[in-house]
């Protein structure tokens, strides 16, 4: 069976996902596109999805009998409405992070999916599919004893002008929020945020960098440096300190050279390149499950927990270094 996919939001990642579905992956084809900016959908049709119909609204795309499954890759604040519409239509739905921009919004999705009685939603936490993180998890699970501390960093070379302080959590650190609880098989109980002096490239509405300190239920302490104007490259770091040893996320493959009296290797500059292989694997997982009328991978509950944790981290940004508690409700059986 070829899964007929509709893509809502054809900006940077929507375009890239449409390309990989039609040119890299198997078992699916992009049959429909929709974007607030119709010219963007038309450009993606012309470049990577020649057979796609263009729909004026996401709701019309979801309702189309020609669409079996939906990709939601529009701006975060619009995700909830489309994911709820896909669940109501009984169609598998891949939603980019964040699942919703508020914990209440994510809960409405969890409730709708639980009422439907079967998984339909996969959240775009692609790091769980990254070969480096998968290898790190296997190592942490078996070799270094109980994890005691994690030191992580999420550095972007630059961000657009409209990027403001809370986005460092909702838009950027949300990847660590998801992948670290998966890596540690643990949940968070509190968050604190520390701000060093701001770097020169930040602006009045962006305090950058910042350090988020998360404590887990098992007592692991995690520090995540978020530095979104670091200038030098796109750099993701993760080191787990266990009772018996230390394990680190592998660096991306790069040629090391001895040249011109320098020992060096390139550092990536774009998130699209850093996780390119994991985007392929996550979407193939979605396609395979969608072909069976369901969803796999990171689920709505993971999206909900990430939203609750994000809200706590944003509250912690405003709490002047004080800890903010993170309380999770009981997980519905659908997600066990
Ligand atoms: P973008 O701004 O490049 O593209 C978003 C597109 O959605 C735009 O073309 C916009 O016109 C369209 N859009 C907005 N509201 C819409 C609506 N109601 N209906 C239809 N189209 C609408 O943004 P980008 O970078 O592609 O991000 C999109 C989403 O993907 C965000 O939620 C972002 O957090 C996530 N993302 C995830 C990444 C990952 O590593 N997993 C990387 C980059 C983005
Ligand atoms: C972007 O939306 C992503 O998801 C990238 O992975 C992240 O590094 C970046 O900060 C976000 O803006």
């Amino acid at each position: 069976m070829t899964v007929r996919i509709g893509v809502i939001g054809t900006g940077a990642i929507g375009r890239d996902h449409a390309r990989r579905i039609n040119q890299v992956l198997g078992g699916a084809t992009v049959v429909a596109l929709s974007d607030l900016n119709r010219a963007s959908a038309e450009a993606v049709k012309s470049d990577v999805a020649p057979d796609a119909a263009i729909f004026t609204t996401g709701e019309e795309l979801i309702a189309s009998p020609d669409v079996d499954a939906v990709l939601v890759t529009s701006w975060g604040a619009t995700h909830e409405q489309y994911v709820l519409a896909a669940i109501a239509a009984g169609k598998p739905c891949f939603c980019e992070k964040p699942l919703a921009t508020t914990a209440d919004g994510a809960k409405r999705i969890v409730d709708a999916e639980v009422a439907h009685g079967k998984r339909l939603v996969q959240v775009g936490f692609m790091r769980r599919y990254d070969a480096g993180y998968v290898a790190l998890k296997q190592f942490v699970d078996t070799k270094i004893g109980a994890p005691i501390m994690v030191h992580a960093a999420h550095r972007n070379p630059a961000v657009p002008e409209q990027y403001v302080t809370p986005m460092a959590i909702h838009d950027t650190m949300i990847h660590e929020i998801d992948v670290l609880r998966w890596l540690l098989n643990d949940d968070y109980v509190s968050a604190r945020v520390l701000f060093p002096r701001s770097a020169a490239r930040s602006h009045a509405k962006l305090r950058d960098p910042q350090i988020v300190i998360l404590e887990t239920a098992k007592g692991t302490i995690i520090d995540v440096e978020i530095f979104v104007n670091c200038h030098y490259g796109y750099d993701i770091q993760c080191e787990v300190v266990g009772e018996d040893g230390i394990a680190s996320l592998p660096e991306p493959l790069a040629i090391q050279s001895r040249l011109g009296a320098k020992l060096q290797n390139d550092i990536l500059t774009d998130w699209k390149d850093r996780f390119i292989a994991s985007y392929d694997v996550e979407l193939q997982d979605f396609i395979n499950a969608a072909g069976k009328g369901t969803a796999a991978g990171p689920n709505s509950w993971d999206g909900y927990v990430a939203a609750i944790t994000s809200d706590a981290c944003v509250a912690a940004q405003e709490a002047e270094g004080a800890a903010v508690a993170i309380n999770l409700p009981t997980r519905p059986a659908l997600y066990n």
Side-chain angles (χ1 to χ4, degrees), residues 27-238:
T29 182
V30 176
V31 297
L33 299 165
S34 179
D35 197 289
L36 274 187
N37 173 6
R38 194 179 173 94
S40 158
E42 276 163 1
V44 170
K45 174 180 167 74
S46 139
D47 293 348
V48 298
D51 301 329
I54 296 185
F55 288 81
T56 306
T57 69
E59 282 81 2
E60 286 165 359
L61 178 149
I62 292 166
S64 166
D66 295 329
V67 170
D68 301 318
V70 179
L71 247 61
V72 178
T73 48
S74 47
W75 294 322
T78 67
H79 292 179
E80 181 190 345
Q81 73 192 75
Y82 295 133
V83 176
L84 287 174
I87 294 171
K91 298 189 180 181
C93 174
F94 174 92
C95 178
E96 262 309 334
K97 40 67 52 170
L99 178 61
T101 43
T102 63
D104 286 348
K107 179 163 191 313
R108 284 189 282 275
I109 292 172
V110 165
D111 290 345
E113 196 175 35
V114 167
H116 179 77
K118 186 172 78 168
R119 272 200 61 192
L120 286 176
V121 179
Q122 177 177 342
V123 183
F125 289 131
M126 76 294 177
R127 289 193 190 182
R128 294 185 186 207
Y129 294 90
D130 174 69
Y133 273 107
V134 170
L136 178 61
K137 179 164 174 57
Q138 199 179 14
F139 204 90
V140 168
D141 280 347
T142 55
K143 305 275 192 209
I144 62 167
I148 296 169
M149 292 176 283
V150 177
H151 308 298
H154 189 150
R155 304 193 186 108
N156 289 213
V159 285
E161 221 171 286
Q162 65 272 19
Y163 187 107
V164 291
T165 304
M167 290 176 74
I169 308 294
H170 286 302
D171 196 53
T172 298
M173 189 194 145
I174 194 158
H175 286 296
E176 274 76 18
I177 289 174
D178 179 69
V179 83
L180 296 180
R181 71 180 261 278
W182 167 83
L183 183 67
L184 300 174
N185 300 312
D186 210 345
D187 268 313
Y188 308 118
V189 294
S190 75
R192 265 182 294 160
V193 177
L194 303 177
F195 290 102
R197 72 173 200 196
S198 275
R201 288 186 185 84
S202 47
H203 53 79
K205 293 192 173 158
L206 173 61
R207 295 180 74 182
D208 181 54
Q210 49 192 287
I211 298 169
V212 180
I213 298 166
L214 292 166
E215 188 178 352
T216 73
K218 293 178 191 165
T220 303
I221 301 272
I222 300 168
D223 57 272
V224 184
E225 171 203 313
I226 316 161
F227 189 6
V228 295
N229 278 294
C230 80
H231 194 61
Y232 72 84
Y234 185 78
D235 196 7
I236 304 299
Q237 299 289 326
C238 181

